[in-house]
Amino acid sequence: MKNEIEEQYKYMEKIAKINEDKQLTYAIYTMGCQLNENDSEKICGMLENMGYHKTDEVKQADFVVFNTCCVRENAEDKLFGKIGEMKRQKEERGTILAIGGCMMQEKHIVDKLHKSYPFVDIIFGTHTLHKLPEDTYHILEKRNKIEDVIDIDGQIYEGLPIKRNDNSKASVTIMYGCNNFCTYCIVPYVRGRERSRKPSDILQEIKDLANEGYKEITLLGQNVNSYDGGDGYKFSNLLYDVNKIEGIEKIRFVSPHPKDFKDDVIKAIYDCDKVSKIIHLPLQSGSTKVLKEMNRRYTKEQYLELVEKMRKSIPNVVFSTDIIVGFPGETEEDFEDTLDVVKKVNFEQVFMFIYSRRVGTVADKMENQIPEEVKHERFDRLKALVESQIEENNKKYIGTVQKVLVEGKSKNNENMLTGRTDSNKVVIFEGKEEWINKVIELKIVSEHMWYLKGEI
Ligand code: SF4
């Protein structure tokens, strides 16, 4: 594996020589989850090493990368629309066009690209991302189209360059793939089986980040609490070890699976002062019947028991979650079970999704699909409940003092700064630029649906 990466560094060097003094630029378009964002940071790192500089002006870019996701239904239409827009630019500027990521692991998508978009230069999959320098070199030298997608589980490649999106918060992927095969989900088919990075590699990456001044780390994986570092080293061990790293002030993780949330992890969250006390615990549905159809392997009662157990073990713990509305066969009664769990847990944040069919999944073949209007009507009811809870929850913060990592200037108001509380609430406040990337204490003075207002 090391040799493979050394090879890629040689290609990066060769390309950097070819590109010398040319002032070339690249643009990247990322779809999907934080894991994909983290992959894009590696793609950016490789492109920078090849002598390209980042631009937001896609139309001016000499290299354009689309890092795709196939979890949402309309993603395909969006992608094909954007690739279509690139045709002219390619003809006029000779822009190199590379499409990678999860969608490229789906045969029907790659077939469509070949048929309708033959001007795409590089197609790479989730297991061949690290070979972008080699693929680019072949394009520059021979101008042959490259399709570099493999269907077997990828290896773990350490040591790729990385260009991070943020100066204070960083994501660190701890494992790849998933073994769970939830019936609605395409991820295990496109990202392969679970592979965990070595603890020493993860810890070294985080120590380096701390030395560079990063304060907050998010540990990423499709199912982080089945992390297996070898020789009995589990996710809880990793939490303890990351907690010891000087300079890191906040540790978050996404996503755990409720069925794998064991006592050792609960204890580690309690013991580790830097681990955030907002736990993302994907529910998906509150109905035991639907959960079974989803192959989630827990019941409504088990989920609620887990929440209760964490509440008893971890003072001030709060929860966020993911919910899918309108899974095949979901009855009004099932949906009310979901509302019931939402009421009981009183989540701090809920990521709500309308079920969408994904080709190749078990749920796509289920006959009892729910009509669109029913899905939307249920979604609106869930949204109304969640928003009323958020409003109530936000009131609790008024008058409290919160530790906030200052992230930068507010996007909506240049004169204000923005940061997040431990529970991931956005706080806007007046302050000095030198506070950016520091943890400060703020008194919360007012609340709004999507943010809180604070004062030093
Ligand atoms: S745990 Fe389920 S939802 Fe999450 S990635 Fe794996 S299969 Fe998909």
Side-chain angles (χ1 to χ4, degrees), residues 177-188 222-223 257 284 296:
C178 181
N179 292 350
N180 288 314
F181 290 94
C182 300
T183 54
Y184 53 82
C185 182
I186 193 76
V187 167
Q222 303 294 352
N223 184 8
H257 194 303
Q284 310 303 6
R296 292 289 292 173

Side-chain angles (χ1 to χ4, degrees), residues 73 354-357 369-378:
E73 197 176 24
I354 291 176
Y355 169 74
S356 70
R357 300 169 78 159
Q369 301 288 329
I370 304 295
E372 285 305 312
E373 62 276 15
V374 176
K375 288 194 225 174
H376 281 91
E377 185 266 336
R378 287 181 188 161

Side-chain angles (χ1 to χ4, degrees), residues 12-14 50 63 76 89 205 207 248 287 328 345 356 360 384 431 437:
M12 286 184 243
E13 244 175 67
K14 284 187 202 171
M50 292 189 253
F63 200 130
E76 288 173 21
Q89 181 177 340
E205 182 176 343
K207 279 178 198 157
I248 298 300
S287 153
V345 180
S356 70
N437 202 19

